[in-house]
Amino acid sequence: MLLKILHIVLLASVKYIVTLPYAMIIGVDYKYALIAVLSGGIGGFLFFYYISKPINRGLMRLWPCICRAIPFSLRGRYRSWCIRRSRKKKRIFTRRNRFITRMKANYGFWGVIIATPVILTIPIGAFLANKYYSQRRHIVLYMILSIIGWAGVLSGLVHLFPGVFL
């Protein structure tokens, strides 16, 4: 039973929307499943929120060292990658960059807060919140309230359709 709850906590910290129905399917008692999902979601957000800024800073400092450490036989293959990382030039919009820019422009702060547990997943939402909205005073509180609110919605769905998840 303890392993199931630990599994649910770890799954909720990454993929929040599927965790409560999954907990019901594998046979965990409802109250334990809800507590595990909430603690996993909140703990995962806090972990990814506070770890994303040092990771970003560290990667920006490490790019030149990584490019110098690439073995000579592989330098030809990764040469353009290293050049792109070392120089500041016009930004190339990839699919991921377009998605993040569209999310920020169209939905803004509240869109990231509301969509994080369900659409964006906890790690991506924590990264976006830290990168773009870390100056806001109550970002962590709003995100925790969003996670609790989505737990209520998912809990309601589990109670509305008990035959599907039990």
Side-chain angles (χ1 to χ4, degrees):
M1 181 70 167
L2 185 63
L3 266 161
K4 283 184 181 180
I5 291 177
L6 181 64
H7 179 70
I8 292 167
V9 168
L10 291 176
L11 182 63
S13 67
V14 179
K15 202 68 174 149
Y16 190 75
I17 186 120
V18 298
T19 310
L20 189 62
Y22 174 73
M24 296 287 100
I25 289 171
I26 64 172
V28 177
D29 189 32
Y30 175 72
K31 62 182 175 182
Y32 295 125
L34 190 61
I35 290 170
V37 167
L38 282 172
S39 62
I42 293 170
F45 169 73
L46 292 174
F47 174 76
F48 289 114
Y49 181 77
Y50 288 113
I51 201 77
S52 65
K53 188 165 277 198
I55 287 176
N56 282 338
R57 284 185 191 154
L59 283 175
M60 293 311 265
R61 289 185 186 138
L62 282 178
W63 287 132
C65 298
I66 291 171
C67 289
R68 282 190 301 248
I70 293 175
F72 187 72
S73 60
L74 296 176
R75 282 193 187 167
R77 180 180 294 171
Y78 293 105
R79 185 183 195 168
S80 63
W81 181 77
C82 289
I83 290 170
R84 273 186 280 142
R85 293 290 177 187
S86 63
R87 269 194 269 168
K88 289 276 186 183
K89 55 189 254 189
K90 189 175 178 182
R91 195 170 171 131
I92 300 171
F93 278 98
T94 62
R95 188 172 165 192
R96 188 180 113 213
N97 288 346
R98 272 192 216 110
F99 175 73
I100 290 171
T101 305
R102 193 178 324 121
M103 247 336 256
K104 186 180 176 196
N106 291 344
Y107 305 110
F109 175 72
W110 291 108
V112 171
I113 295 291
I114 293 170
T116 290
V118 182
I119 299 169
L120 293 178
T121 72
I122 300 282
I124 294 173
F127 168 74
L128 290 175
N130 195 342
K131 182 165 179 145
Y132 296 117
Y133 303 111
S134 62
Q135 312 86 311
R136 300 242 180 156
R137 285 186 50 190
H138 301 294
I139 181 77
V140 174
L141 176 67
Y142 292 147
M143 192 66 79
I144 289 173
L145 290 175
S146 173
I147 290 169
I148 292 170
W150 278 108
V153 169
L154 294 173
S155 174
L157 287 174
V158 166
H159 282 297
L160 279 175
F161 305 107
V164 175
F165 301 113
L166 298 176

